[in-house]
């Protein structure tokens, strides 16, 4: 099971990123632990300066804008 965090303050792009990750994981039959991190201090600990950002198993794999669907599919 992948541990996925979407970092962002709750903007529309952040919500769309969460939805996209959920959709792709479900389509691929992947079990994930998805967490939305909105606390600025926690986001800063990842060294992310632009959101939304995606962290998988402790590694930042995307930052700044909604990721392309094919990029998300590549994570699974």
């Amino acid at each position: 099971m992948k541990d996925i965090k979407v970092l962002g303050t709750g903007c529309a792009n952040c919500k769309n990123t969460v939805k996209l990750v959920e959709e792709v994981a479900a389509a691929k039959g992947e079990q994930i632990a998805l967490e939305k991190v909105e606390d600025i201090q926690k986001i800063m600990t990842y060294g992310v300066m632009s959101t939304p950002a995606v962290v998988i198993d402790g590694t930042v794999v995307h930052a700044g804008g909604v990721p392309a669907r094919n990029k998300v599919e590549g994570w699974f």
Side-chain angles (χ1 to χ4, degrees):
M1 178 183 299
K2 291 183 184 287
D3 177 40
I4 301 175
K5 293 177 176 45
V6 175
L7 314 178
T9 57
C11 66
N13 282 346
C14 299
K15 292 174 183 170
N16 289 337
T17 300
V18 168
K19 184 178 175 193
L20 179 60
V21 169
E22 288 174 333
E23 286 175 1
V24 171
K28 297 245 180 201
E30 291 280 340
Q31 296 237 341
I32 61 170
L34 183 61
E35 179 184 352
K36 179 74 175 70
V37 180
E38 295 184 355
D39 183 278
I40 294 293
Q41 296 301 322
K42 288 182 182 177
I43 292 170
M44 301 277 290
T45 64
Y46 289 96
V48 170
M49 298 313 246
S50 57
T51 61
V54 180
V55 178
I56 299 178
D57 296 332
T59 302
V60 177
V61 296
H62 178 81
V66 179
R69 184 175 196 90
N70 63 346
K71 183 174 184 178
V72 177
E73 289 171 348
W75 297 337
F76 297 102

